[in-house]
């Protein structure tokens, strides 16, 4: 050791090898001990040796070796006793705050925390789910968690100090460690926020185009914003900096304005203090709404629309109209102008993608403003649909009509049936907006993605069908049905060349109710399959899927909406606009939306039973596939 300056390299390589396969080693260790057998590789003994030789080593111990030892030990901590795990944590945290520790040791401490924190939380969650058989293990894991929580303040202090003088490569590790700690328990970050926030903001702004460093810094800001105790102070710290960026957009580096709008939206989506949101509104809204109306940068328009939606949420609906000072109508004009600009046919499709979610929330949260504008809004959305080519944009625009269907399906159908569609090559020879919208909707429904949007559009189709409006049932609207299979001589293989000779693919022509029923039957089959898969996951004892999102809150109002009738708008008015607690601190608007509480399978089955009782299914039976008929038959046989 004294003669060879590279004496530490072989030990470091061994630690790297063990740490790289730690998951398998820990699994085999626990499996052997559960059978009262000696493991082939004793993780606890190896850990004790690391603790003895490295964590209590003299100051002359090689810093690279000690840093690697911290990381390797943390990877094996799942198999350690509570005492051993706490020793590893203490060594890591002490290294962060040791002014004499060399930088490789501090980086090793960051790597250790990145491995240690998720492992402790995950092992505790698993132990708690396994019940009485694992009470002793769960108790030890709980000790590890309590130790971790008790030292979070020291972790934040150490990581905060490292942010000021680390290299670019090291900053990514430091920010990753900070992100994991914040997601573990962000409340402890509050007392260190004045130290952390400016440093993280500076790193983010200087590296906004960096896909790793800038993105990780942004994730840390979002994680801090999502902590209720941190959000208000963080917003007050960052909004003045964001406002300065918005006031001089032409002087900013590339992407900084776009990214600053994204940060503003992150802060507002998690904001629970209306006064804080109002202050942010006063400092930034005028510039944000201007970006949405005048910018020719797609990213800026998208994020400006998203920030305007976040303001609407933070204001709890129509309260935002009072934030406009002496002219309350200025706020409503800003929202309507931003939507009108993005709905113009010449607007770039990427920029228009975010207008539909904003309009959906305006329908829900600004009914007094949107109500009188619905006819004009339908005209604008239809005009945009006529020129839209991206399936994603078409699907998002359809969600606007779905929102209106949930407000009043009868009124929507009557309105669209009474308005002519502007002639153009793209309107598919439709005579009314209803015919055009249904054609686009039935063709674009398979392109609707996302659990909430699928539920929104599927249930809206059911509500439209339930109106049994004369324009729907009189056969005047004909839609594209199933593909017509071209019969080939026996033994003939269908090839591309033969398919070309037969011409374009042909489809049957069906009535609007037939097409909607076939789509709803397919949706029911998919929903049941997904439901069955979820039950299998719950019963199969599979590993938990990690994530920070909470399940949607239970809501009695949603349970009332069964079948294809009812007015959800009334529920929104009664509950949402009169109950200040309705807009809870959720990450997504969908989670506090009454539509999200609809049980899709029950909704569809009840709707089909009503149609069956009314004899409305008999006339469309020949237009359904065998699979769709089977889906419907199962409903009636179980009734």
């Amino acid at each position: 050791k004294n003669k060879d300056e590279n004496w530490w390299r072989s030990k470091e390589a061994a630690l790297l090898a063990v740490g790289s396969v730690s998951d398998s080693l820990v699994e085999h260790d626990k499996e052997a001990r559960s059978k009262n057998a000696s493991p082939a590789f004793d993780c606890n003994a190896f850990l004790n040796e690391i603790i003895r030789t490295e964590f209590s080593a003299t100051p002359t111990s090689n810093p690279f070796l000690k840093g690697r030892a911290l990381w390797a030990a943390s990877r094996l901590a799942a198999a350690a006793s509570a005492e051993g795990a706490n020793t590893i944590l203490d060594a890591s945290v002490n290294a962060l705050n040791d002014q004499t520790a060399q930088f490789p040791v501090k980086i090793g401490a960051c790597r250790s925390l990145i491995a240690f924190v998720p492992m402790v939380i995950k092992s505790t969650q698993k132990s708690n789910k396994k019940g009485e058989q694992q009470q002793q293990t769960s108790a030890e894991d709980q000790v590890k968690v309590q130790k971790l929580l008790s030292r979070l303040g020291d972790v934040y202090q150490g990581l905060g100090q490292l942010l000021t003088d680390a290299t670019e490569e090291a900053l990514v590790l430091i920010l990753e460690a900070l992100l994991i700690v914040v997601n573990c328990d962000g409340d402890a970050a509050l007392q260190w926020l004045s130290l952390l926030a400016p440093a993280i903001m500076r790193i983010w702004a200087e590296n906004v185009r960096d896909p790793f460093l800038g993105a990780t810094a942004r994730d840390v800001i979002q994680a801090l914003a999502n902590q209720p105790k941190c959000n208000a102070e963080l917003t007050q710290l960052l909004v003045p900096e964001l406002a300065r960026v918005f006031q001089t957009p032409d002087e900013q580096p590339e992407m900084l304005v776009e990214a600053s709008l994204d940060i503003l939206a992150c802060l507002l989506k998690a904001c629970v203090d209306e006064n804080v949101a109002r202050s942010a509104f006063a400092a930034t809204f005028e510039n944000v709404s201007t970006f949405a109306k005048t910018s020719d940068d797609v990213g800026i328009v998208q994020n400006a629309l998203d920030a305007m939606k976040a303001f609407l949420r933070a204001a709890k609906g129509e309260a935002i109209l009072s934030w406009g000072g002496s002219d309350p109508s200025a706020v409503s004009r800003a929202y309507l102008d931003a939507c009108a600009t993005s709905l113009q046919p010449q607007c770039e499709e990427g920029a228009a993608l975010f207008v539909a979610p904003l309009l959906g929330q305006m329908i829900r949260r600004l009914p007094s403003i949107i109500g009188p504008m619905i006819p004009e809004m339908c005209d604008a959305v239809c005009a945009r649909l006529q020129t839209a080519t991206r399936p994603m944009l078409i699907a998002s625009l359809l969600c606007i009509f779905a929102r209106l269907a949930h407000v009043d399906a009868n009124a929507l159908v009557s309105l669209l049936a009474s308005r002519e569609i502007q002639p153009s090559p793209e309107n598919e020879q439709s005579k009314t907006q209803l015919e055009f919208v249904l054609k686009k909707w039935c063709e674009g429904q398979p392109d609707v993605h996302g659990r909430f949007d699928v539920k929104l559009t599927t249930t809206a189709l059911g509500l439209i069908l339930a109106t049994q409006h004369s324009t729907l049932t009189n056969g005047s609207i004909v839609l594209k049905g199933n593909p017509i299979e071209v019969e080939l001589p026996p033994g003939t293989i269908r090839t591309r060349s033969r398919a070309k000779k037969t011409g374009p693919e042909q489809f049957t022509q069906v009535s609007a109710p037939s097409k909607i029923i076939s789509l709803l039957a397919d949706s029911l089959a998919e929903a049941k399959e997904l439901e069955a898969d979820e039950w299998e996951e719950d019963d199969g004892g599979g590993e938990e899927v990690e994530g920070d999102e909470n399940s949607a809150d239970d809501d009695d109002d949603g349970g009332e909406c069964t079948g294809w009738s009812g007015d959800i708008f009334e529920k929104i008015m009664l509950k949402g606009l009169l109950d200040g607690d309705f807009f809870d601190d959720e990450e997504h608007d969908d989670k506090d939306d009454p539509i999200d509480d609809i049980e899709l399978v029950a909704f569809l089955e009840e709707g089909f039973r009503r149609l069956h009782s009314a004899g409305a299914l008999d006339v469309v039976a020949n237009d359904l596939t065998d699979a769709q008929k089977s889906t419907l038959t199962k409903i009636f046989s179980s009734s």
Side-chain angles (χ1 to χ4, degrees), residues 134-272:
Q134 296 287 337
Q135 280 186 350
Q136 183 61 36
T137 304
S138 180
E140 282 206 345
D141 285 335
Q142 196 61 40
V143 171
K144 298 176 187 178
V145 172
Q146 293 304 319
K147 177 67 174 181
L148 173 62
L149 296 178
S150 70
R151 300 225 56 184
L152 283 180
D154 296 328
V155 172
Y156 282 119
Q157 181 180 12
L159 292 174
Q161 292 170 348
L162 281 177
L163 287 173
T164 59
D165 55 5
T167 63
E168 183 175 319
E169 293 78 9
L171 276 175
V172 175
L173 280 174
I174 297 167
L175 289 171
E176 285 180 358
L178 192 56
L179 177 61
I180 286 173
V181 174
V182 171
N183 285 331
C184 168
D185 184 351
D187 290 350
L190 181 60
Q191 69 180 105
W192 301 101
L193 206 54
S194 59
L195 168 69
L196 295 172
I200 298 170
M201 192 67 175
R202 173 185 56 79
I203 294 168
W204 168 81
E206 292 175 355
N207 301 276
V208 70
R209 297 181 61 190
D210 190 308
F212 298 107
L213 185 52
T216 308
R218 185 261 186 208
D219 289 343
V220 176
I221 293 172
Q222 183 176 27
L224 288 169
N226 288 340
Q227 300 298 326
K229 291 184 179 179
C230 295
N231 181 272
E233 183 175 340
L234 183 67
T235 302
Q236 291 167 343
L237 287 170
L238 299 190
V239 163
E241 299 298 324
L242 299 175
R244 279 191 282 272
V245 172
F246 299 152
Q247 290 164 4
T248 56
D250 296 335
E251 300 174 10
Q252 305 306 324
E254 184 180 1
M255 289 186 64
L256 186 58
V257 174
E258 175 187 343
S260 297
L261 288 165
D262 175 55
I263 294 294
L264 177 63
C266 287
L267 296 171
L268 292 170
K269 287 175 182 178
C271 184
V272 294

Side-chain angles (χ1 to χ4, degrees), residues 576-632:
L577 300 181
L578 300 179
D579 181 359
D581 294 329
F582 181 53
F583 300 99
D584 295 326
D585 179 23
E586 296 283 356
E587 183 181 357
H588 301 294
D589 290 312
D590 308 340
K591 291 186 175 181
D592 63 0
D593 194 319
I595 294 172
D596 192 49
D597 294 323
I598 298 174
E599 294 294 337
L600 186 56
V601 171
F603 177 93
L604 293 173
E605 289 184 339
E606 177 62 21
F608 279 126
R609 290 190 185 99
R610 291 184 181 183
L611 288 175
H612 182 58
S613 299
L617 294 180
D618 297 337
V619 296
V620 304
N622 292 334
D623 297 326
L624 303 180
T625 65
D626 291 340
Q628 292 163 355
K629 292 177 183 177
S630 175
T631 299
L632 299 185

